[in-house]
Amino acid sequence: MAEVEETLKRIQAHRGVVATIVVNAEGIPIRTTLDNSTTVQYAGLLHQLTMKARSTVRDIDPQNDLTFLRIRSKKHEIMVAPDKEYLLIVIQNPCE
Amino acid sequence: MQGPGGGRRPPPVRQGSGASSGSQRRASILSGIYANKAASCRSPSTTSDGKAVDRASLVGNKYATRVFDDEGKDVTPRPLFRSDPNTVVPRQGKLLASSAYFGATGSGFLSSFSMHQTSGVNGSLGSFSRTYGSSSSSLSNASTTESVLDEIRKRSHLLTSYNFSDVQVRQEEIKEWTKEDLDRRVDIYLTETETIWILDMPSVVVSVESEDAGRVLERNRIYVDICKNRPGNDRFVEKMMQTINGAAKNKEVQCDKIIMEDKGMLVTSWDLYDSFNVSEIEPVSKAEGSRATTGKSSSTTSSLMISESAVLARIHEEEECHSEAILTSENFQQNLFFMERILMENIFQPKLAAYRQFPVLIVKEAEQEEHDKEKKDKEEQKNAFVDPSILSDLNKTPEEIVPPRLERLWSYICDLTNGHSVSSMAWSKVNPDLLAVGYGAFDCKEQKKGLACCWSLKNPMWPERIFRCEHGVTALDFSMASPNLLAVGMYDGSVTIYNVQSCNDAALLDSSESSNKHTGPVWQMRWVEQDRSATGDGKKERLICISADGRITEWFIQKRLDCIDLMKINRTESEKKKLPGEKERKREALISRLAPGMCFDFHPKDTNFYLAGTEEGHIHKCSCSCNEQFLETYRGHKGPVYKVAWNPFSTDMFLSCSADWSIILWHQDSQTPILTFSSSTAFVHDVMWSPKSACIFAAVNESRVEIWDLSASILNPVTSCFANPRVKFTSVLIAKNTDCLLVGDSKGEVSVFELQNLAAPNNNKVRFTRTRWWSSEACMLVWYFIPPKGASVKDLANRY
């Protein structure tokens, strides 16, 4: 547990990381560095997108599954590690 | 349909045959009350069974037909229709056969019955009777039915007329009813009646041999003739007749709202796959019952999940437990691990790309800036991007050679390692991105706990493995045969073996129990593969260490670590020329007869031989098979020899570096140095040949790291990089798979430099001739290459 906390702290402290969010399957934040409303918004939207992405991947080959999702936008990069029980979201400003 | 409804408001059509409408009305009164199902309705009532209901007679009773239940209560249904008293009720002559066509509407309405009149038909009241009969059958009470029917039968005469007055009477009668009567609950039962046969003419079959046969045949023939003659025959006329449909009556019923639910589902191929597999896989029961799976037992990935907005109400403690479970789950840790690596990739992407020697792309803004402030931005860019102009220049002018340079990419450093000094570095034998770094104290006097870390290229900010050691780490090496073993030698002479696969700190094997362990710091250790040609076992790996107590030991890994001595380094007397006139001195009192060993290196081709460097400045060539004597001794250094290294390509040459500020290149057959490189007045801590090129080696002294290229210059390094003022470089390591250099310093930082623009690697053997001038200014050496196959000496000479 301590190791997990340490790793989370390290991730949060990295250069350019805007926010780190861990939400459970219901959209309730477990760990977050943003305010609650933004967290819930991110969680809801990304949950839907992850579901859609997973559905896409599995539609093509049902034995495949989604492991990671990265969205690069002008301002940030959103990285989502999806799982059945939780969503791990990290938002980073890419360098320079 | 215009059934009785039509009767209500006297339709113009019907006025003509007035009587019927009245009867219609009447009938409507009665049968409107009773619901008649289509079955019974369909049957046109053509009964001539004499069950003519005398409606009039019934009415003549001054009562409508009344219905009684068992207890004698009057449960006569009330009429739905209140005829308008003002309308004239025409006499009704004949009878209406009710046909009931009822509600083809199928609405099941009471009012759905229609009477239609048949012109002049002996119409039977059968319809009435029928309807009545059928309606009576719908009564709850059979006996009542019976009684009513009996009544009907008694008056079996045709319906004569229907009086308007009757209706009046009816209505008056109605008024007499009390409120309770009106409020009384009326039960209406709808049932299906029996099938009513209208015309039943069963065919008769006569045997050919019977007496009637002839007649029957004759008649058949006549019939067939008639049929044939029918079309076009005057005797047969087709005539159309219009039947009048009765008016339909709508009946509204109020009931509870029927709740309808729509359920839609998007079926995807993976959903089918999952459902198919669910029957084979045991359903995983979730303790918290988190997902409301409607109907499906275990498949939590079904598409139903998508449509549900699952927010379950839970008690707070459950939530907390669940979140703890999530955070400590294996999956989560792994995802965190990946996430960190991906973050690193984002941060370090240009540097890593340069490490991997990818051509790096230029960002557009950078280009514009470039034109503006060229110099300043060039420097910044150089760190990350390769300037396209240079590239293009190179293409255009191949003669123009850009000097090699060292580019600092990044450094492996973290909080843990701050304050320690890098004492040794080693690459993993299987994973070229994995690096082990040993941290100890730079100054021999201040010894503190040491650290051995495994760094991965993919995460330059935090080591993958951290092994804390009791004493400062002075040497380490990865094993080749079992690549997960890392041997660590420490300042107190102990040797520990760690398993890199496990995350925990515990050592796999320890030399603390060994009785023969070193008593001085282990300055170097190496896993050496040895050809055991004698035993024919094939290559076997041995762990060899050299330490300051003057012994070279080989360690065995059995139940515990133990070692045997390979060699003891005896002190060799220095061949000092005795000054004339000096008396013979007394032999110096020695603390130990052994000279501390600092470094060793096994011959790359023949692992029976190895070199050992000592603190005295001597380098001994030894053999594994003989542990009494040195094969040869090379004297040249005046200070402790920190490192010896065989040239991987020209295997007769080796380098040695020492604290006497010099690096010496030796040939194994010559007892005197071939070349001496001294470029600075600082201890040279480490030296290493490039694994790709025979002429290039890297050397690190306290203030800078130097790259020497013997094919370019033997007086000066081709490039060098200065350290930060307060920091001293302590060790160097060259990467095998890329042109990069790792330099460790006394602050615990391992910097990664990229070697740019170095001469093309060639691993031709370099042969040095013996002829040279011993001029200090111009130390020229004539040497030549052994030309590779196909090339001529001339070409090579032209090149250089």
Side-chain angles (χ1 to χ4, degrees):
Chain A
M1 187 62 197
E3 208 184 293
V4 164
E5 290 292 342
E6 217 186 280
T7 314
L8 265 174
K9 262 193 224 135
R10 275 209 316 276
I11 288 182
Q12 284 165 13
H14 277 322
R15 207 177 349 153
V17 170
V18 170
T20 309
I21 301 171
V22 183
V23 281
N24 68 358
E26 280 80 36
I28 300 168
I30 301 176
R31 288 271 185 285
T32 175
T33 57
L34 289 178
D35 54 290
N36 200 37
S37 58
T38 319
T39 301
V40 167
Q41 186 186 24
Y42 265 106
L45 293 169
L46 285 170
H47 183 70
Q48 291 173 31
L49 184 63
T50 313
M51 287 287 124
K52 189 65 180 173
R54 177 177 275 140
S55 176
T56 307
V57 166
R58 297 203 70 207
D59 252 348
I60 296 168
D61 176 10
Q63 289 178 339
N64 206 353
D65 199 4
L66 181 70
T67 52
F68 208 84
L69 185 64
R70 284 168 90 163
I71 305 160
R72 192 136 194 169
S73 70
K74 275 194 217 164
K75 296 189 186 170
H76 305 303
E77 177 161 359
I78 304 173
M79 291 166 277
V80 181
D83 187 78
K84 281 202 296 271
E85 298 173 38
Y86 60 87
L87 269 183
L88 169 63
I89 303 166
V90 175
I91 304 163
Q92 187 193 18
N93 263 327
C95 279
E96 288 121 15
Chain B
M1 32 184 261
Q2 298 300 312
R8 250 172 270 140
R9 2 170 227 297
V13 176
R14 301 226 176 96
Q15 274 310 34
S17 51
S20 47
S21 69
S23 61
Q24 267 191 347
R25 233 177 276 142
R26 159 93 72 106
S28 74
I29 291 169
L30 272 182
S31 36
I33 301 165
Y34 306 101
N36 291 298
K37 282 292 180 179
S40 56
C41 300
R42 291 274 170 74
S43 55
S45 53
T46 58
T47 52
S48 43
D49 55 1
K51 282 205 191 154
V53 173
D54 181 10
R55 297 262 355 172
S57 62
L58 291 177
V59 175
N61 280 343
K62 304 260 187 215
Y63 286 96
T65 309
R66 301 189 71 190
V67 177
F68 296 90
D69 66 4
D70 269 344
E71 291 131 28
K73 274 192 348 188
D74 185 10
V75 290
T76 313
R78 286 179 295 286
L80 292 170
F81 163 63
R82 304 275 184 269
S83 63
D84 189 355
N86 294 326
T87 58
V88 174
V89 177
R91 282 179 79 79
Q92 108 184 56
K94 324 281 180 101
L95 208 187
L96 13 96
S98 75
S99 112
Y101 9 117
F102 287 60
T105 65
S107 55
F109 271 150
L110 309 178
S111 61
S112 66
F113 93 61
S114 76
M115 314 285 284
H116 73 269
Q117 51 189 18
T118 56
S119 49
V121 127
N122 352 327
S124 46
L125 302 174
S127 75
F128 280 108
S129 72
R130 282 305 158 210
T131 55
Y132 191 67
S134 55
S135 46
S136 61
S137 69
S138 69
L139 295 173
S140 49
N141 205 321
S143 59
T144 318
T145 309
E146 283 303 306
S147 61
V148 167
L149 280 174
D150 285 341
E151 258 186 69
I152 296 169
R153 285 189 205 105
K154 280 175 201 156
R155 308 148 158 88
S156 59
H157 51 273
L158 285 173
L159 183 68
T160 52
S161 73
Y162 167 59
N163 257 346
F164 170 67
S165 57
D166 293 338
V167 178
Q168 289 283 25
V169 168
R170 176 79 51 82
Q171 284 182 338
E172 284 163 21
E173 285 169 1
I174 290 165
K175 280 172 196 158
E176 281 173 8
W177 293 2
T178 62
K179 192 171 188 289
E180 287 91 33
D181 291 336
L182 292 172
D183 286 337
R184 205 170 33 198
R185 186 196 166 96
V186 176
D187 288 322
I188 298 170
Y189 296 87
L190 312 178
T191 53
E192 198 174 298
T193 62
E194 61 195 34
T195 311
I196 298 165
W197 288 100
I198 299 163
L199 174 67
D200 191 4
M201 275 177 63
S203 51
V204 178
V205 179
V206 174
S207 159
V208 181
E209 287 156 9
S210 76
E211 44 212 37
D212 277 345
R215 205 162 45 84
V216 170
L217 281 171
E218 183 65 29
R219 284 187 59 190
N220 283 353
R221 196 182 52 78
I222 292 170
Y223 180 71
V224 168
D225 284 339
I226 291 173
C227 287
K228 267 197 255 175
N229 291 334
R230 217 176 66 169
N233 198 328
D234 283 340
R235 296 177 65 192
F236 295 92
V237 174
E238 293 214 1
K239 194 167 174 186
M240 307 287 227
M241 210 157 78
Q242 187 177 37
T243 59
I244 297 174
N245 297 332
K249 177 176 174 179
N250 285 333
K251 172 86 176 115
E252 282 156 18
V253 170
Q254 195 169 39
C255 67
D256 284 338
K257 180 178 175 189
I258 299 167
I259 299 170
M260 311 263 282
E261 270 200 36
D262 279 328
K263 188 80 180 177
M265 211 165 115
L266 187 69
V267 179
T268 51
S269 52
W270 55 265
D271 200 2
L272 297 172
Y273 177 84
D274 279 346
S275 316
F276 184 69
N277 282 346
V278 153
S279 54
E280 297 170 359
I281 303 168
E282 212 179 23
V284 173
S285 61
K286 292 207 176 246
E288 291 89 2
S290 54
R291 300 294 173 90
T293 59
T294 61
K296 287 203 184 177
S297 57
S298 66
S299 157
T300 53
T301 55
S302 81
S303 59
L304 288 173
M305 291 298 108
I306 301 175
S307 50
E308 289 176 20
S309 63
V311 178
L312 295 178
R314 281 198 199 173
I315 54 178
H316 190 58
E317 291 98 50
E318 268 186 19
E319 272 179 25
E320 279 187 354
C321 293
H322 192 48
S323 70
E324 286 292 312
I326 288 180
L327 287 177
T328 50
S329 71
E330 177 93 23
N331 215 3
F332 186 70
Q333 288 180 15
Q334 208 171 34
N335 274 340
L336 268 181
F337 178 68
F338 289 141
M339 185 67 81
E340 196 177 0
R341 286 208 165 174
I342 289 177
L343 279 176
M344 289 302 145
E345 187 196 329
N346 271 343
I347 297 173
F348 286 100
Q349 195 269 336
K351 313 283 172 71
L352 291 176
Y355 184 89
R356 293 273 193 231
Q357 325 257 284
F358 290 149
V360 185
L361 297 174
I362 302 286
V363 177
K364 268 191 188 167
E365 303 101 324
E367 266 181 359
Q368 285 170 1
E369 272 178 36
E370 201 188 293
H371 296 307
D372 297 337
K373 335 167 212 166
E374 220 181 22
K375 283 244 166 156
K376 182 187 167 197
D377 291 334
K378 249 196 188 179
E379 258 179 59
E380 287 168 352
Q381 272 171 54
K382 275 288 195 177
N383 287 338
F385 306 131
V386 173
D387 201 348
S389 60
I390 285 189
L391 276 178
S392 55
D393 279 347
L394 279 177
N395 288 338
K396 286 173 200 163
T397 57
E399 305 94 49
E400 194 183 305
I401 296 173
V402 183
R405 53 189 301 260
L406 280 173
E407 193 69 59
R408 188 174 176 286
L409 295 177
W410 73 87
S411 55
Y412 290 113
I413 188 167
C414 71
D415 292 337
L416 270 185
T417 62
N418 236 346
H420 292 97
S421 159
V422 174
S423 57
S424 55
M425 300 188 285
W427 289 111
S428 162
K429 302 290 194 286
V430 287
N431 182 0
D433 294 336
L434 191 62
L435 175 72
V437 180
Y439 299 90
F442 184 68
D443 209 341
C444 290
K445 294 184 191 100
E446 338 158 334
Q447 281 301 319
K448 47 186 170 178
K449 289 203 176 190
L451 200 60
C453 291
C454 290
W455 293 87
S456 163
L457 184 72
K458 294 176 185 156
N459 188 350
M461 289 183 72
W462 189 258
E464 301 295 316
R465 300 279 185 269
I466 300 168
F467 302 113
R468 290 170 215 272
C469 309
E470 280 295 316
H471 307 271
V473 172
T474 50
L476 46 69
D477 197 23
F478 269 106
S479 160
M480 273 176 284
S482 351
N484 59 322
L485 294 182
L486 176 68
V488 174
M490 285 180 257
Y491 192 79
D492 69 336
S494 57
V495 170
T496 323
I497 297 189
Y498 290 97
N499 181 7
V500 196
Q501 282 170 349
S502 77
C503 276
N504 65 8
D505 228 348
L508 198 62
L509 281 173
D510 207 327
S511 73
S512 48
E513 293 161 0
S514 162
S515 52
N516 208 10
K517 63 181 181 183
H518 289 291
T519 49
V522 176
W523 289 119
Q524 187 157 9
M525 69 196 318
R526 194 68 58 84
W527 292 87
V528 179
E529 256 182 15
Q530 286 230 334
D531 264 333
R532 295 276 198 186
S533 47
T535 54
D537 268 352
K539 292 206 170 174
K540 211 178 130 184
E541 209 181 34
R542 313 194 290 177
L543 178 61
I544 315 275
C545 304
I546 188 169
S547 94
D549 63 356
R551 289 174 12 215
I552 301 173
T553 52
E554 177 184 346
W555 292 81
F556 297 107
I557 302 167
Q558 284 144 6
K559 285 213 178 137
R560 45 185 203 133
L561 272 185
D562 208 352
C563 66
I564 58 159
D565 278 353
L566 267 188
M567 175 67 74
K568 287 194 170 68
I569 305 171
N570 293 318
R571 284 188 185 271
T572 51
E573 285 179 11
S574 54
E575 296 170 356
K576 266 194 278 188
K577 249 162 102 175
K578 285 190 193 144
L579 294 171
E582 259 189 32
K583 289 189 218 167
E584 195 164 305
R585 287 182 186 204
K586 242 192 339 191
R587 211 182 158 96
E588 285 177 20
L590 298 167
I591 297 171
S592 130
R593 290 203 59 221
L594 300 173
M598 302 292 301
C599 54
F600 70 95
D601 195 15
F602 274 74
H603 195 276
K605 294 280 166 64
D606 184 1
T607 48
N608 227 1
F609 295 101
Y610 60 94
L611 294 167
T614 67
E615 211 178 354
E616 306 171 310
H618 302 142
I619 304 171
H620 305 289
K621 182 159 100 172
C622 325
S623 160
C624 292
S625 40
C626 163
N627 57 0
E628 299 293 326
Q629 268 186 337
F630 306 131
L631 294 177
E632 265 198 70
T633 305
Y634 304 94
R635 297 159 213 268
H637 279 297
K638 301 176 190 67
V641 179
Y642 284 142
K643 197 79 185 285
V644 282
W646 287 100
N647 187 323
F649 300 103
S650 299
T651 52
D652 291 332
M653 324 281 300
F654 62 90
L655 272 180
S656 64
C657 73
S658 140
D660 66 352
W661 309 341
S662 68
I663 307 166
I664 297 183
L665 177 69
W666 306 82
H667 191 282
Q668 71 166 340
D669 298 330
S670 156
Q671 298 249 346
T672 50
I674 308 274
L675 272 180
T676 308
F677 311 101
S678 42
S679 55
S680 66
T681 57
F683 297 166
V684 184
H685 282 289
D686 205 353
V687 72
M688 182 172 173
W689 287 101
S690 159
K692 288 187 191 159
S693 176
C695 302
I696 298 176
F697 65 88
V700 76
N701 57 39
E702 289 188 351
S703 56
R704 58 184 188 164
V705 56
E706 300 166 346
I707 308 287
W708 293 78
D709 186 353
L710 294 177
S711 57
S713 159
I714 55 171
L715 292 176
N716 289 315
V718 288
T719 181
S720 62
C721 181
F722 281 91
N724 292 332
R726 271 171 301 234
V727 169
K728 299 177 188 166
F729 285 150
T730 55
S731 55
V732 73
L733 193 66
I734 302 186
K736 292 194 186 77
N737 53 350
T738 176
D739 277 340
C740 287
L741 192 70
L742 274 73
V743 181
D745 66 13
S746 57
K747 277 282 157 76
E749 189 176 334
V750 177
S751 313
V752 179
F753 290 90
E754 188 196 357
L755 284 169
Q756 288 178 351
N757 308 317
L758 216 49
N762 65 77
N763 44 14
N764 296 321
K765 293 197 177 173
V766 177
R767 274 220 321 212
F768 290 80
T769 65
R770 298 301 195 94
T771 57
R772 54 192 190 270
W773 287 267
W774 280 110
S775 159
S776 57
E777 282 84 27
C779 198
M780 278 182 53
L781 181 76
V782 177
W783 46 268
Y784 59 91
F785 289 105
I786 299 172
K789 290 183 190 165
S792 65
V793 182
K794 226 177 162 186
D795 286 345
L796 292 171
N798 285 342
R799 222 197 290 170
Y800 294 100

